[in-house]
Amino acid sequence: MTDILVPTWPLRPYAAPPPPRDWRPTRRLTLLMPFHRETGATLARSAQAVAALDYPPELLQVLWLVADGPEHAREAEQAEDARAAAGRPELDWRILRLPGMRPKGAALNHAFPYAEGEIVAIIDADVVPDPGQPAEAVWALEHGYALVQAEEVGEPGPRLTSRVKTAEDTVWHTSVRGLARAAGVHVVAGSSVYAWSATWDGVRPIRSDDVEESYHWSLRLMSQGATTGFLRRPSRVSSTDRTGAALRQRARWARGQLRAVAVTWPELSPRGRLLGAVTVGSMAARAAMPALLAAAVVSPPARKAAAVMVAADVACVLGARRSPEHRDRVDGLAWALVVPWHLVGAVAVYRAVWEWARGDRGWHSVRDTADALPGDPAPGAAAADPTPSAAPGTGQGVSR
């Protein structure tokens, strides 16, 4: 949600130049990939993405995280089938059955003790990283960064909503890079993010009482003065044609970010507070745009304020579009509709405040997931046991 009225040009440079052609990684890398009520198609897509990764197999550990228990047996079986069909038996690729998968922070807390890599990445279920992305991430981290992240680009479908969302995703990522350049703060995403194991130790245990765990670690990393950067090679993420689902997802993001700023504000350093203030200001600007446009009908001062705000948002969109790497992702109509979509997105901010006020911790997603399984914990409910169901190395709860 930190994307409106935030500069999108000039962008912060990428973390490091491309690695030399003859360079090969020498670091052990662990991918943590959480799954929750995923369809067989999502599991197969993820397995194909893992199989395509260009990383030394002897150095790669892949942990697929699924919920344990008989009510989740179907998903675990589908995960086993997808892994087998991918045809990479040489990989250290495990199905890790955890006592709980919601919220995501709780699942990651369960999984981190199993991660053996010097570097640990978090890749969401519906994300397809570029095959060369892990190697680029390791190269960048070796250049002095604590954490690096790749851009996640929504896959533009034939319908207009998905194309506009792809353009909006691009504006968000360029705003993050622009903000890092202008203010030295970084909204760290929750997926396609790579960090040294020691960096993750600095934000663990990950908060498991909220739905925006990545924004909590953004605030903590900024307060700790962590050096963060950006990767060239993007990830593809499944998009949606369902406007309502997209707005509900944005409401979840906004609610989690607002709550994170509120509950952590006293302990934040000036750098962390700057990130929190930019976030809240950005959401306030988004929420104010429709009201100002409505008031502009009868009020000349409101008309001027609305014109300035819309012009600033247009400038942000044009700043994102001017990069050759971004321009051709979608057609001109989709780019033109990003500002109107931002106006519609104000509904997500209002909904976020309403959900927060009523104590809602629900999890909204744009993805199609498998049918709800009987007995699964309610969205937002953390598992009672804060430790993994089996200690690393015992073999219990892990399929290989």
Side-chain angles (χ1 to χ4, degrees):
M1 295 297 293
T2 307
D3 58 356
I4 190 168
L5 308 183
V6 172
T8 55
W9 195 268
L11 303 179
R12 186 168 182 175
Y14 292 113
R21 289 182 178 273
D22 59 350
W23 178 83
R24 294 291 286 172
T26 59
R27 307 278 185 175
R28 177 81 162 157
L29 170 65
T30 297
L31 303 185
L32 298 181
M33 306 183 73
F35 294 82
H36 183 64
R37 295 178 176 173
E38 307 299 342
T39 64
T42 297
L43 291 162
R45 183 174 182 265
S46 181
Q48 292 165 6
V50 170
L53 293 178
D54 183 15
Y55 200 85
E58 69 276 9
L59 298 176
L60 183 61
Q61 179 191 34
V62 181
L63 298 180
W64 271 12
L65 316 180
V66 300
D68 197 11
E71 66 272 27
H72 303 291
R74 181 179 62 191
E75 185 175 35
E77 290 172 2
Q78 289 178 323
E80 296 280 7
D81 292 343
R83 183 185 61 174
R88 292 293 302 271
E90 77 280 13
L91 287 181
D92 180 6
W93 187 349
R94 315 178 196 181
I95 311 298
L96 190 59
R97 304 184 187 190
L98 304 177
M101 290 300 298
R102 278 294 183 264
K104 181 177 166 184
L108 293 174
N109 284 332
H110 293 316
F112 262 108
Y114 291 85
E116 300 170 358
E118 292 178 79
I119 295 167
V120 179
I122 298 172
I123 309 289
D124 279 352
D126 62 332
V127 171
V128 177
D130 181 281
Q133 184 187 106
E136 184 197 354
V138 172
W139 171 260
L141 289 168
E142 290 179 343
H143 277 70
Y145 289 87
L147 176 148
V148 290
Q149 80 177 48
E151 184 177 1
E152 291 193 347
V153 183
E155 296 175 328
R159 296 187 180 179
L160 187 57
T161 298
S162 66
R163 303 200 317 268
V164 174
K165 279 189 76 279
T166 297
E168 187 205 22
D169 289 345
T170 301
V171 173
W172 186 85
H173 281 285
T174 51
S175 76
V176 169
R177 287 179 61 198
L179 181 63
R181 180 71 173 262
V185 293
H186 181 178
V187 184
V188 181
S191 176
S192 296
V193 58
Y194 300 74
W196 296 102
S197 179
T199 302
W200 291 119
D201 288 343
V203 299
R204 292 174 54 203
I206 295 170
R207 288 191 74 117
S208 58
D209 61 347
D210 211 339
V211 294
E212 263 302 271
E213 70 294 320
S214 63
Y215 193 74
H216 281 283
W217 67 52
S218 298
L219 294 171
R220 291 174 67 181
L221 287 167
M222 293 306 98
S223 290
Q224 293 167 7
T227 304
T228 58
F230 304 92
L231 301 176
R232 284 177 172 78
R233 294 177 180 266
S235 296
R236 292 183 291 111
V237 60
S238 58
S239 189
T240 183
D241 291 318
R242 298 176 295 169
T243 301
L247 291 174
R248 287 192 296 274
Q249 182 190 52
R250 277 146 183 75
R252 186 220 346 145
W253 290 340
R255 168 168 39 93
Q257 290 178 8
L258 287 171
R259 185 173 182 275
V261 172
V263 301
T264 61
W265 185 264
E267 64 195 55
L268 297 178
S269 73
R271 191 178 178 210
R273 290 186 176 187
L274 175 59
L275 175 57
V278 169
T279 299
V280 174
S282 177
M283 289 190 210
R286 182 190 286 271
M289 283 181 69
L292 280 174
L293 288 173
V297 177
V298 296
S299 171
R303 197 171 302 148
K304 292 180 181 179
V308 169
M309 190 169 287
V310 171
D313 198 25
V314 170
C316 290
V317 175
L318 293 176
R321 188 177 183 270
R322 68 179 292 177
S323 299
E325 62 191 304
H326 300 149
R327 186 178 305 125
D328 296 329
R329 284 182 179 170
V330 291
D331 57 276
L333 177 59
W335 283 110
L337 290 177
V338 172
V339 173
W341 177 254
H342 280 165
L343 293 172
V344 175
V347 174
V349 180
Y350 300 137
R351 175 169 179 152
V353 173
W354 175 69
E355 289 179 347
W356 185 17
R358 63 197 292 262
D360 191 343
R361 301 288 180 85
W363 186 280
H364 308 310
S365 173
V366 299
R367 292 186 289 114
D368 293 324
T369 58
D371 294 336
L373 301 176
D376 200 38
D385 182 3
T387 59
S389 58
T394 65
Q396 298 175 357
V398 180
S399 300
R400 298 198 57 176

